[in-house]
Amino acid sequence: MPASSADLARLAAAVPANVIDVCDKLAESGFQAVAVGGAVRDVLRGAEPGDWDLATSAHPDEIVKLFRHTIPTGLQHGTVTIVTGRGVESHIEVTTYRGEGAYTDARRPDSVVFGVPLQEDLARRDLTVNAIAYDVAKEQIFDPFGGVADLHAGVLRAVGVAVDRFTEDGLRVMRAVRFAAQLEFALEPETEAGIRPALPSLAKVSRERVSDELRKLLAAPKPSLGLVLAQRTGILETILPGLSLDLEAPDRVDPSVRLAALFAPVADRKRVNETLKALKFSNAEADQAAALVAGIHAVSAATDGYSLRRAVGSIGRAYANELAKLDPRAHPVLGDPLVLRELAITGNDLMQAGFPAGRALGELLTSLLDRVLRDPSLNTRDQLLVLAKG
Ligand code: ATP
Ligand code: MG
């Protein structure tokens, strides 16, 4: 199924005015300029497009000459940012058509050549649905790898020989399963079969790039669609060896707590924390996921209001709301005092009442918290003073 007039009409209607202006200007000067990548893909599948990326036959220095306001964002990759107005929304990235030499390190090509035909630029891209070009000035689709048909069929297919493409750049296997989840597409069988033999390349990819992909996968409507593929193909064992993970749980919870849902079976807070930091998740992400994993287990072991409040309080107030997103049993106690800071009495109050400073004071506060966890109605200054003296 080639591109239909409906596909063309969709694209024509979706291209923003500043993108049209940039393309027209390049075309008037005799260059070809096309939209390519995520925006074209998303418009054709009826979704809201993100950034519009342009590719052109013009060389970077020609682009710079043609436009009044440009930023040399990534000249070594042939990328120039054209500033078409105020604010970052007005920034349009234009990349000169490029071909890639051999990959020897599984991460980036040894050389990049400019001045290749569009067909060659599209041939270096990962998946056919990401290799559809739309010539904005001529209102024509250029789709040498059948990406439009794959898009309509809901299929992800590597451009060219899957195992070769995945071996060149080890991140592509993660992109493939991420897009499977994000777009809710199937992996074409040969494309899937190309993943396992390319895993040694994935092992060489920087952990930042790997965790970026995992983060995007977990943000998909149904992450399990990609996680199950990642497990079946050996991706998970490559990036998170020796861990048992819950591939279905992330689907059921809010995106903000999916990392914890995935790692819940690991159970050991420290191990979760170290694993995530080793994969270059931020300290905040790792700390939160690890605390929540501990919280999930504590909450599920709780048998009454007291043990439930203790469970939620033990991981700290900062994570309490997130914990309730993972296990609704935590919900009813969220409004109760759960941590020392929330006691109606402070160490200072106790010292003013005659208690000496020191370790015993800390222990007293902890025991008062324990009383309040058992019975939240005790949390008034007067009652706690009485309890402290008693
Ligand atoms: P998103 O909506 O996540 O931005 P995208 O498809 O636009 O999706 P980008 O990472 O912005 O993804 O890349 C833009 C385009 O560049 C892709 O559509 C694809 O054609 C190409 N591309 C990006 N990364 C790779 C890669 N690792 N290997 C091959 N081609 C790639
Ligand atoms: Mg993009």
Side-chain angles (χ1 to χ4, degrees), residues 36-39 41 50-53:
V36 66
R41 179 194 69 222
D51 293 342
W52 286 79
D53 290 323

Side-chain angles (χ1 to χ4, degrees), residues 69-311:
H69 195 169
T70 59
I71 306 168
T73 333
L75 279 187
Q76 71 282 22
H77 306 111
T79 304
V80 175
T81 298
I82 299 176
V83 181
T84 66
R86 285 171 206 283
V88 281
E89 321 83 62
S90 79
H91 290 195
I92 297 175
E93 283 201 352
V94 185
T95 304
T96 302
Y97 295 160
R98 57 178 221 236
E100 293 177 350
Y103 281 69
T104 47
D105 69 353
R107 284 182 292 228
R108 60 188 70 79
D110 301 339
S111 60
V112 172
V113 282
F114 299 129
V116 306
L118 172 58
Q119 162 103 19
E120 204 174 310
D121 180 273
L122 295 176
R124 71 168 171 88
R125 295 173 185 271
D126 52 355
L127 300 164
T128 63
V129 298
N130 289 340
I132 305 166
Y134 173 62
D135 186 320
V136 174
K138 292 193 176 145
E139 302 195 2
Q140 281 174 359
I141 290 174
F142 190 63
D143 177 29
F145 302 104
V148 174
D150 285 340
L151 204 48
H152 288 307
V155 168
L156 296 174
R157 182 192 315 270
V159 173
V161 179
V163 61
D164 295 349
R165 307 310 314 290
F166 291 156
T167 304
E168 278 172 6
D169 174 356
L171 190 74
R172 289 178 186 152
V173 299
M174 290 209 62
R175 285 176 55 90
V177 299
R178 185 253 292 189
F179 282 121
Q182 220 171 34
L183 310 179
E184 310 199 3
F185 276 23
L187 269 187
E188 176 273 324
E190 254 185 65
T191 301
E192 181 175 338
I195 293 180
R196 195 172 279 282
L199 293 176
S201 287
L202 173 58
K204 295 184 198 162
V205 170
S206 79
R207 288 162 300 174
E208 288 83 353
R209 291 178 81 205
V210 169
S211 45
D212 278 350
E213 280 302 325
L214 189 54
R215 198 180 284 114
K216 287 180 187 170
L217 199 174
L218 286 173
K222 236 178 121 181
S224 67
L225 293 174
L227 291 169
V228 166
L229 279 171
Q231 179 164 69
R232 192 159 87 202
T233 53
I235 290 175
L236 283 185
E237 189 54 34
T238 304
I239 61 172
L240 295 165
L243 294 180
S244 87
L245 302 168
D246 188 335
L247 308 186
E248 310 288 338
D251 292 6
R252 297 190 294 267
V253 299
D254 187 83
S256 61
V257 294
R258 286 180 175 169
L259 206 49
L262 177 66
F263 277 82
V266 177
D268 177 8
R269 178 171 182 166
K270 194 157 163 253
R271 184 153 187 226
V272 172
N273 200 305
E274 285 169 358
T275 302
L276 291 174
K277 282 180 182 157
L279 206 52
K280 304 289 182 194
F281 278 95
S282 71
N283 289 349
E285 287 171 306
D287 292 347
Q288 165 168 311
L292 290 175
V293 167
I296 290 169
H297 291 277
V299 166
S300 65
T303 50
D304 54 11
Y306 168 57
S307 52
L308 194 55
R309 284 186 282 272
R310 254 173 57 138

